[in-house]
Amino acid sequence: MAEAANDAATGNAPASEGRTTASATAADTSAGASITSATLAAGLEIEPLVKLNISTRAELEAWILEQKNSLQQTKSSHEQQTQDHARQTQEAQRKREVLQQQQKALAASVHDKERQVNLHQVEIEILQDEKNKKEPVLREIFLKNQEEDQKLKQLLHEASEHQTAHEQQLAELQRGLAMYQHLGLFFEHTEENQIIVRFTQIDPEEPSRAFSFRIRIDPLTDRFLGNQ
């Protein structure tokens, strides 16, 4: 019974293997058909992706080129700004050196001015001291000048009065001389200490006839001596 069972089991085994192989072959065929269909479907879906990839790559290259140009422009602008900054820095350094030189010159000038001011201050102090010493003398001189001015004014006033009196006397003498000349009286100074008095209008028959006499002054006694 055991052998029969074994044979039965062994006899059934090839049939079962045949069915299994057939099933596997059918499954492979079905799988191949499925793969082919999937491949065709995938090929149809990949073509738009390839086109999209090409378009995206072109856009990416254009964007990269644009960014490259922008970076190049930024670099050029930065280099220009760097050059301008360097030039401005050099100009600022030059101006700074000029200002430093001007500051040194100004400091030297201020120092010289301060020295001159100190010298002038010393001179002012010396002059102030001399002024303090001379003020009493100057005040005394000023008072004396005022007194002398008063005396001078008085002398000028007296001189003016004398001048007025002299002019009055001269006018009177001129009037007297005119009267004497009208009467035919003339005075002639001929020599030192001697005067000749001439006059006309004496002789009624000959009014122009001249008469004269001499008056001499004695230098020792100042007396008048008359000679006909």
Side-chain angles (χ1 to χ4, degrees), residues 134-192:
K134 292 181 179 180
E135 271 186 352
V137 178
L138 293 174
R139 188 178 297 108
E140 184 178 356
I141 293 174
F142 177 74
L143 294 175
K144 288 183 178 180
N145 285 335
Q146 284 185 336
E147 293 178 359
E148 295 296 329
D149 287 340
Q150 293 295 331
K151 291 179 181 180
L152 180 60
K153 289 179 181 179
Q154 183 65 28
L155 291 174
L156 290 175
H157 180 69
E158 293 177 356
S160 177
E161 290 180 349
H162 288 307
Q163 181 69 23
T164 302
H166 178 70
E167 290 177 354
Q168 291 176 355
Q169 291 177 359
L170 182 60
E172 292 177 357
L173 289 174
Q174 288 178 349
R175 286 195 299 270
L177 181 60
M179 183 182 65
Y180 291 150
Q181 289 177 352
H182 180 70
L183 296 175
L185 182 61
F186 298 92
F187 298 91
E188 181 181 353
H189 185 267
T190 58
E191 298 177 2
E192 186 178 1

Side-chain angles (χ1 to χ4, degrees), residues 29-159:
T29 302
S30 177
S34 298
I35 291 171
T36 303
S37 299
T39 302
L40 291 174
L44 293 175
E45 293 178 357
I46 288 172
E47 185 176 357
L49 292 175
V50 171
K51 292 181 179 180
L52 180 61
N53 187 18
I54 294 172
S55 176
T56 303
R57 180 177 293 178
E59 292 178 357
L60 181 60
E61 289 177 353
W63 180 81
I64 291 172
L65 181 61
E66 182 180 357
Q67 293 297 319
K68 182 178 179 181
N69 292 332
S70 177
L71 289 174
Q72 186 66 30
Q73 292 178 357
T74 303
K75 180 181 178 182
S76 299
S77 177
H78 179 70
E79 290 177 352
Q80 183 65 34
Q81 291 178 358
T82 302
Q83 292 176 359
D84 293 340
H85 180 69
R87 184 169 58 255
Q88 292 175 359
T89 302
Q90 292 177 356
E91 183 67 18
Q93 183 66 24
R94 186 185 65 80
K95 290 182 178 180
R96 181 172 177 270
E97 292 176 356
V98 171
L99 290 175
Q100 287 178 349
Q101 293 177 357
Q102 292 178 352
Q103 184 179 4
K104 290 180 180 179
L106 181 61
S109 177
V110 169
H111 179 70
D112 184 62
K113 295 294 184 183
E114 288 178 350
R115 184 178 60 81
Q116 292 179 1
V117 168
N118 292 331
L119 292 176
H120 290 319
Q121 185 66 31
V122 172
E123 292 178 356
I124 290 172
E125 291 177 356
I126 294 173
L127 292 174
Q128 186 67 34
D129 185 59
E130 292 180 356
K131 178 185 175 183
N132 294 332
K133 291 179 180 179
K134 292 181 179 180
E135 271 186 352
V137 178
L138 293 174
R139 188 178 297 108
E140 184 178 356
I141 293 174
F142 177 74
L143 294 175
K144 288 183 178 180
N145 285 335
Q146 284 185 336
E147 293 178 359
E148 295 296 329
D149 287 340
Q150 293 295 331
K151 291 179 181 180
L152 180 60
K153 289 179 181 179
Q154 183 65 28
L155 291 174
L156 290 175
H157 180 69
E158 293 177 356

Side-chain angles (χ1 to χ4, degrees), residues 11-26:
N12 292 330
S16 177
E17 288 178 359
R19 288 194 299 270
T20 302
T21 302
S23 297
T25 302

